[in-house]
mmCIF file of all heavy atoms in Angstrom:
data_model
loop_
_atom_site.group_PDB
_atom_site.id
_atom_site.type_symbol
_atom_site.label_atom_id
_atom_site.label_comp_id
_atom_site.label_asym_id
_atom_site.label_seq_id
_atom_site.Cartn_x
_atom_site.Cartn_y
_atom_site.Cartn_z
ATOM 1 N N GLU A 423 50.046 146.563 125.410
ATOM 2 C CA GLU A 423 49.596 147.454 124.341
ATOM 3 C C GLU A 423 49.164 148.797 124.906
ATOM 4 O O GLU A 423 48.613 148.872 126.011
ATOM 5 C CB GLU A 423 48.406 146.838 123.586
ATOM 6 C CG GLU A 423 48.753 145.657 122.721
ATOM 7 C CD GLU A 423 47.548 145.131 121.961
ATOM 8 O OE1 GLU A 423 46.404 145.548 122.271
ATOM 9 O OE2 GLU A 423 47.747 144.287 121.066
ATOM 10 N N PHE A 424 49.395 149.824 124.092
ATOM 11 C CA PHE A 424 48.924 151.160 124.438
ATOM 12 C C PHE A 424 48.488 151.857 123.155
ATOM 13 O O PHE A 424 49.164 151.766 122.128
ATOM 14 C CB PHE A 424 50.026 151.976 125.117
ATOM 15 C CG PHE A 424 49.626 153.399 125.390
ATOM 16 C CD1 PHE A 424 48.822 153.713 126.474
ATOM 17 C CD2 PHE A 424 50.035 154.421 124.546
ATOM 18 C CE1 PHE A 424 48.435 155.020 126.725
ATOM 19 C CE2 PHE A 424 49.657 155.735 124.782
ATOM 20 C CZ PHE A 424 48.849 156.033 125.880
ATOM 21 N N GLY A 425 47.345 152.551 123.205
ATOM 22 C CA GLY A 425 46.864 153.220 122.014
ATOM 23 C C GLY A 425 46.147 154.525 122.316
ATOM 24 O O GLY A 425 45.555 154.686 123.386
ATOM 25 N N LEU A 426 46.233 155.458 121.367
ATOM 26 C CA LEU A 426 45.489 156.713 121.410
ATOM 27 C C LEU A 426 44.761 156.857 120.084
ATOM 28 O O LEU A 426 45.354 156.642 119.019
ATOM 29 C CB LEU A 426 46.421 157.913 121.612
ATOM 30 C CG LEU A 426 47.086 158.074 122.975
ATOM 31 C CD1 LEU A 426 48.058 159.252 122.943
ATOM 32 C CD2 LEU A 426 46.055 158.287 124.067
ATOM 33 N N GLY A 427 43.477 157.226 120.144
ATOM 34 C CA GLY A 427 42.722 157.331 118.914
ATOM 35 C C GLY A 427 41.692 158.441 118.957
ATOM 36 O O GLY A 427 41.627 159.225 119.901
ATOM 37 N N VAL A 428 40.903 158.520 117.920
ATOM 38 C CA VAL A 428 39.839 159.515 117.826
ATOM 39 C C VAL A 428 38.550 158.780 117.489
ATOM 40 O O VAL A 428 38.558 157.717 116.858
ATOM 41 C CB VAL A 428 40.142 160.592 116.762
ATOM 42 C CG1 VAL A 428 41.308 161.447 117.190
ATOM 43 C CG2 VAL A 428 40.407 159.960 115.402
ATOM 44 N N ALA A 429 37.414 159.387 117.930
ATOM 45 C CA ALA A 429 36.118 158.777 117.676
ATOM 46 C C ALA A 429 35.092 159.866 117.396
ATOM 47 O O ALA A 429 35.256 161.015 117.818
ATOM 48 C CB ALA A 429 35.683 157.928 118.867
ATOM 49 N N LYS A 430 34.045 159.474 116.696
ATOM 50 C CA LYS A 430 32.940 160.376 116.391
ATOM 51 C C LYS A 430 31.634 159.646 116.669
ATOM 52 O O LYS A 430 31.432 158.519 116.205
ATOM 53 C CB LYS A 430 33.005 160.819 114.923
ATOM 54 C CG LYS A 430 31.814 161.646 114.469
ATOM 55 C CD LYS A 430 31.732 162.982 115.182
ATOM 56 C CE LYS A 430 30.563 163.817 114.672
ATOM 57 N NZ LYS A 430 30.421 165.085 115.422
ATOM 58 N N TYR A 431 30.754 160.287 117.450
ATOM 59 C CA TYR A 431 29.445 159.720 117.735
ATOM 60 C C TYR A 431 28.419 160.329 116.770
ATOM 61 O O TYR A 431 28.349 161.551 116.612
ATOM 62 C CB TYR A 431 29.010 160.031 119.164
ATOM 63 C CG TYR A 431 29.666 159.183 120.229
ATOM 64 C CD1 TYR A 431 30.983 158.759 120.104
ATOM 65 C CD2 TYR A 431 28.966 158.820 121.367
ATOM 66 C CE1 TYR A 431 31.582 157.994 121.078
ATOM 67 C CE2 TYR A 431 29.561 158.047 122.359
ATOM 68 C CZ TYR A 431 30.873 157.631 122.208
ATOM 69 O OH TYR A 431 31.470 156.866 123.186
ATOM 70 N N ILE A 432 27.644 159.479 116.125
ATOM 71 C CA ILE A 432 26.548 159.917 115.262
ATOM 72 C C ILE A 432 25.316 159.121 115.650
ATOM 73 O O ILE A 432 25.255 157.905 115.441
ATOM 74 C CB ILE A 432 26.870 159.717 113.762
ATOM 75 C CG1 ILE A 432 28.139 160.475 113.373
ATOM 76 C CG2 ILE A 432 25.700 160.157 112.895
ATOM 77 C CD1 ILE A 432 28.587 160.240 111.941
ATOM 78 N N SER A 433 24.360 159.802 116.258
ATOM 79 C CA SER A 433 23.139 159.157 116.721
ATOM 80 C C SER A 433 23.484 158.009 117.669
ATOM 81 O O SER A 433 24.154 158.233 118.682
ATOM 82 C CB SER A 433 22.304 158.673 115.531
ATOM 83 O OG SER A 433 21.060 158.179 115.958
ATOM 84 N N ASN A 434 23.091 156.781 117.341
ATOM 85 C CA ASN A 434 23.345 155.633 118.215
ATOM 86 C C ASN A 434 24.604 154.868 117.839
ATOM 87 O O ASN A 434 24.802 153.740 118.306
ATOM 88 C CB ASN A 434 22.135 154.679 118.189
ATOM 89 C CG ASN A 434 20.905 155.289 118.813
ATOM 90 O OD1 ASN A 434 21.006 156.050 119.776
ATOM 91 N ND2 ASN A 434 19.743 154.962 118.268
ATOM 92 N N ALA A 435 25.446 155.458 117.010
ATOM 93 C CA ALA A 435 26.658 154.778 116.552
ATOM 94 C C ALA A 435 27.890 155.611 116.878
ATOM 95 O O ALA A 435 27.842 156.843 116.939
ATOM 96 C CB ALA A 435 26.582 154.524 115.052
ATOM 97 N N SER A 436 28.990 154.929 117.105
ATOM 98 C CA SER A 436 30.285 155.588 117.271
ATOM 99 C C SER A 436 31.272 154.945 116.307
ATOM 100 O O SER A 436 31.275 153.723 116.118
ATOM 101 C CB SER A 436 30.776 155.461 118.713
ATOM 102 O OG SER A 436 30.842 154.109 119.127
ATOM 103 N N PHE A 437 32.106 155.772 115.694
ATOM 104 C CA PHE A 437 33.115 155.315 114.757
ATOM 105 C C PHE A 437 34.474 155.762 115.280
ATOM 106 O O PHE A 437 34.632 156.905 115.707
ATOM 107 C CB PHE A 437 32.853 155.901 113.371
ATOM 108 C CG PHE A 437 31.483 155.587 112.839
ATOM 109 C CD1 PHE A 437 30.404 156.423 113.114
ATOM 110 C CD2 PHE A 437 31.272 154.450 112.075
ATOM 111 C CE1 PHE A 437 29.139 156.138 112.633
ATOM 112 C CE2 PHE A 437 30.007 154.157 111.589
ATOM 113 C CZ PHE A 437 28.933 154.998 111.873
ATOM 114 N N TYR A 438 35.448 154.860 115.250
ATOM 115 C CA TYR A 438 36.731 155.200 115.857
ATOM 116 C C TYR A 438 37.913 154.678 115.038
ATOM 117 O O TYR A 438 37.801 153.716 114.285
ATOM 118 C CB TYR A 438 36.810 154.645 117.278
ATOM 119 C CG TYR A 438 36.853 153.130 117.367
ATOM 120 C CD1 TYR A 438 38.068 152.437 117.332
ATOM 121 C CD2 TYR A 438 35.678 152.388 117.503
ATOM 122 C CE1 TYR A 438 38.116 151.054 117.433
ATOM 123 C CE2 TYR A 438 35.707 151.008 117.592
ATOM 124 C CZ TYR A 438 36.931 150.348 117.555
ATOM 125 O OH TYR A 438 36.965 148.969 117.624
ATOM 126 N N LEU A 439 39.034 155.353 115.235
ATOM 127 C CA LEU A 439 40.333 154.921 114.723
ATOM 128 C C LEU A 439 41.277 154.873 115.908
ATOM 129 O O LEU A 439 41.448 155.874 116.615
ATOM 130 C CB LEU A 439 40.853 155.894 113.665
ATOM 131 C CG LEU A 439 42.283 155.642 113.163
ATOM 132 C CD1 LEU A 439 42.353 154.305 112.423
ATOM 133 C CD2 LEU A 439 42.745 156.776 112.262
ATOM 134 N N MET A 440 41.882 153.699 116.165
ATOM 135 C CA MET A 440 42.712 153.510 117.350
ATOM 136 C C MET A 440 44.070 152.907 116.970
ATOM 137 O O MET A 440 44.248 151.685 116.957
ATOM 138 C CB MET A 440 42.002 152.586 118.345
ATOM 139 C CG MET A 440 42.767 152.351 119.631
ATOM 140 S SD MET A 440 42.683 153.726 120.773
ATOM 141 C CE MET A 440 40.998 153.576 121.362
ATOM 142 N N PRO A 441 45.075 153.731 116.624
ATOM 143 C CA PRO A 441 46.421 153.200 116.416
ATOM 144 C C PRO A 441 47.018 152.747 117.757
ATOM 145 O O PRO A 441 46.913 153.457 118.761
ATOM 146 C CB PRO A 441 47.197 154.381 115.837
ATOM 147 C CG PRO A 441 46.152 155.387 115.447
ATOM 148 C CD PRO A 441 44.998 155.167 116.358
ATOM 149 N N LYS A 442 47.650 151.566 117.761
ATOM 150 C CA LYS A 442 48.224 151.019 118.993
ATOM 151 C C LYS A 442 49.681 150.629 118.747
ATOM 152 O O LYS A 442 50.063 150.267 117.629
ATOM 153 C CB LYS A 442 47.441 149.788 119.456
ATOM 154 C CG LYS A 442 45.991 150.062 119.825
ATOM 155 C CD LYS A 442 45.233 148.777 120.148
ATOM 156 C CE LYS A 442 45.003 147.946 118.908
ATOM 157 N NZ LYS A 442 44.159 146.767 119.155
ATOM 158 N N VAL A 443 50.464 150.715 119.795
ATOM 159 C CA VAL A 443 51.812 150.153 119.794
ATOM 160 C C VAL A 443 51.840 149.060 120.854
ATOM 161 O O VAL A 443 51.116 149.136 121.862
ATOM 162 C CB VAL A 443 52.885 151.220 120.090
ATOM 163 C CG1 VAL A 443 52.928 152.250 118.987
ATOM 164 C CG2 VAL A 443 52.645 151.886 121.440
ATOM 165 N N GLY A 444 52.644 148.026 120.613
ATOM 166 C CA GLY A 444 52.640 146.922 121.558
ATOM 167 C C GLY A 444 53.919 146.126 121.551
ATOM 168 O O GLY A 444 54.822 146.334 120.717
ATOM 169 N N TRP A 445 53.979 145.211 122.513
ATOM 170 C CA TRP A 445 55.120 144.289 122.633
ATOM 171 C C TRP A 445 54.587 142.929 123.052
ATOM 172 O O TRP A 445 53.669 142.829 123.879
ATOM 173 C CB TRP A 445 56.106 144.813 123.672
ATOM 174 C CG TRP A 445 57.095 143.774 124.159
ATOM 175 C CD1 TRP A 445 58.266 143.423 123.558
ATOM 176 C CD2 TRP A 445 56.990 142.963 125.338
ATOM 177 N NE1 TRP A 445 58.913 142.440 124.278
ATOM 178 C CE2 TRP A 445 58.143 142.137 125.376
ATOM 179 C CE3 TRP A 445 56.037 142.847 126.342
ATOM 180 C CZ2 TRP A 445 58.361 141.223 126.405
ATOM 181 C CZ3 TRP A 445 56.251 141.930 127.363
ATOM 182 C CH2 TRP A 445 57.403 141.131 127.399
ATOM 183 N N ARG A 446 55.137 141.895 122.444
ATOM 184 C CA ARG A 446 54.768 140.525 122.818
ATOM 185 C C ARG A 446 56.022 139.671 122.787
ATOM 186 O O ARG A 446 56.850 139.796 121.870
ATOM 187 C CB ARG A 446 53.730 139.970 121.842
ATOM 188 C CG ARG A 446 53.352 138.499 122.111
ATOM 189 C CD ARG A 446 52.306 138.022 121.115
ATOM 190 N NE ARG A 446 52.053 136.591 121.216
ATOM 191 C CZ ARG A 446 51.205 136.030 122.064
ATOM 192 N NH1 ARG A 446 50.529 136.793 122.899
ATOM 193 N NH2 ARG A 446 51.033 134.722 122.080
ATOM 194 N N TYR A 447 56.140 138.818 123.791
ATOM 195 C CA TYR A 447 57.276 137.886 123.805
ATOM 196 C C TYR A 447 56.770 136.464 123.597
ATOM 197 O O TYR A 447 55.959 135.951 124.358
ATOM 198 C CB TYR A 447 58.042 137.954 125.111
ATOM 199 C CG TYR A 447 59.253 137.053 125.084
ATOM 200 C CD1 TYR A 447 60.451 137.482 124.508
ATOM 201 C CD2 TYR A 447 59.188 135.750 125.575
ATOM 202 C CE1 TYR A 447 61.551 136.643 124.431
ATOM 203 C CE2 TYR A 447 60.283 134.907 125.511
ATOM 204 C CZ TYR A 447 61.457 135.353 124.934
ATOM 205 O OH TYR A 447 62.547 134.522 124.856
ATOM 206 N N ASN A 448 57.251 135.847 122.540
ATOM 207 C CA ASN A 448 57.008 134.428 122.280
ATOM 208 C C ASN A 448 58.211 133.922 121.495
ATOM 209 O O ASN A 448 58.291 134.083 120.286
ATOM 210 C CB ASN A 448 55.713 134.226 121.500
ATOM 211 C CG ASN A 448 55.380 132.751 121.307
ATOM 212 O OD1 ASN A 448 56.095 131.875 121.775
ATOM 213 N ND2 ASN A 448 54.280 132.482 120.615
ATOM 214 N N HIS A 449 59.188 133.406 122.215
ATOM 215 C CA HIS A 449 60.487 132.986 121.681
ATOM 216 C C HIS A 449 61.403 134.168 121.382
ATOM 217 O O HIS A 449 62.620 134.029 121.392
ATOM 218 C CB HIS A 449 60.338 132.124 120.417
ATOM 219 C CG HIS A 449 59.509 130.903 120.624
ATOM 220 N ND1 HIS A 449 59.843 129.909 121.519
ATOM 221 C CD2 HIS A 449 58.328 130.519 120.059
ATOM 222 C CE1 HIS A 449 58.934 128.957 121.501
ATOM 223 N NE2 HIS A 449 57.994 129.307 120.624
ATOM 224 N N TYR A 450 60.826 135.314 121.066
ATOM 225 C CA TYR A 450 61.635 136.508 120.808
ATOM 226 C C TYR A 450 60.777 137.741 121.081
ATOM 227 O O TYR A 450 59.537 137.681 121.113
ATOM 228 C CB TYR A 450 62.162 136.533 119.362
ATOM 229 C CG TYR A 450 61.098 136.364 118.308
ATOM 230 C CD1 TYR A 450 60.353 137.461 117.845
ATOM 231 C CD2 TYR A 450 60.831 135.107 117.766
ATOM 232 C CE1 TYR A 450 59.392 137.307 116.876
ATOM 233 C CE2 TYR A 450 59.856 134.947 116.793
ATOM 234 C CZ TYR A 450 59.136 136.051 116.351
ATOM 235 O OH TYR A 450 58.170 135.893 115.393
ATOM 236 N N ASN A 451 61.445 138.874 121.309
ATOM 237 C CA ASN A 451 60.745 140.141 121.521
ATOM 238 C C ASN A 451 60.195 140.643 120.190
ATOM 239 O O ASN A 451 60.932 140.776 119.213
ATOM 240 C CB ASN A 451 61.694 141.194 122.103
ATOM 241 C CG ASN A 451 62.043 140.900 123.549
ATOM 242 O OD1 ASN A 451 61.167 140.805 124.395
ATOM 243 N ND2 ASN A 451 63.340 140.762 123.828
#
Side-chain angles (χ1 to χ4, degrees):
E423 289 182 349
F424 175 79
L426 290 175
V428 292
K430 174 65 178 176
Y431 283 35
I432 302 175
S433 186
N434 293 325
S436 56
F437 304 89
Y438 67 89
L439 173 65
M440 181 77 73
K442 297 174 290 186
V443 295
W445 163 84
R446 176 179 172 85
Y447 183 83
N448 184 2
H449 303 299
Y450 53 85
N451 288 302

